[in-house]
Amino acid sequence: MRNRTLAVFQHHLAEGVGRIGLWAQHHNIKLVCFYAPEDLPNSLTDYDGLIVLGGPMNVADNPMWMQTEVKLIQQALTLQRPILAICLGAQLLATQLGGQIIEMPAPELGWQDIRFNDGSILTVPQWHEQAITLPKDIAVLASSGQCPVQMYRHQHAIGLQFHPEWDAKQIEQLAEFFADDCPLTNDQHTAKYQSQLASFLFALLDAQFTF
């Protein structure tokens, strides 16, 4: 059987795949990273799935490269490829599902609690100023006090407004690049959150990209 390959769209040098890379290594899955806006594939037909990472861009700006990217996301939907879209990625995905992106009264920053539909709570890293609204036929799986759509699913696609891929090393990179603007910390208190976050993400990736 051939090795499975996932396309990854990355939007900022300091926002890489984080712990997704560890998961892929353990499962012998190849990640092919494209750095937008400079580098996007012509097609996704040769890939088994798609991961769209976050970034500081605003969906409302809609530059040409972003228009190209959402066409690729739409292609993945049409091809029924499994998709995991995170933060900016989840917002771009939402626009292709009939949703809208709106400005929040205040940004959601730092380690924050989200609540799943079963009542369980997960403390996650947040860094966003826009929120997602969705058509009623799309299942919302988690929410927070500030943001009613933290996780949603539509057929083979999952969108996350938060960042389960940000392990301690990734947060260090963000802090180095953004300095005092970075709202996240690594300390003994957050180590427990990181362990829970890893368990959540690895289970999600296993379920989403089971071929």
Side-chain angles (χ1 to χ4, degrees), residues 107-177:
E108 191 172 35
L109 304 172
W111 291 93
Q112 304 285 339
D113 289 346
I114 63 170
R115 181 181 295 272
F116 295 92
N117 291 348
D118 63 2
S120 61
I121 294 174
L122 185 67
T123 304
V124 301
Q126 300 273 18
W127 193 351
H128 64 105
E129 299 178 357
Q130 289 84 33
I132 295 167
T133 66
L134 292 168
K136 293 182 179 180
D137 62 333
I138 296 180
V140 177
L141 306 180
S143 61
S144 69
Q146 286 183 257
C147 186
V149 180
Q150 288 286 347
M151 178 177 181
Y152 65 89
R153 177 191 294 276
H154 176 72
Q155 297 178 1
H156 300 281
I158 291 178
L160 306 175
Q161 185 60 74
F162 56 99
H163 287 275
E165 81 282 15
W166 284 358
D167 55 14
K169 183 178 180 179
Q170 178 68 81
I171 289 176
E172 286 179 5
Q173 292 176 357
L174 291 166
E176 288 176 5
F177 190 94

Side-chain angles (χ1 to χ4, degrees), residues 9 12 36 69 88 97 103-104 113 118 125 133 205 211:
F9 295 168
H12 194 279
E69 184 167 325
L88 173 65
L97 299 175
E103 291 292 325
M104 299 174 63
D113 289 346
D118 63 2
T133 66
L205 290 167
F211 303 100

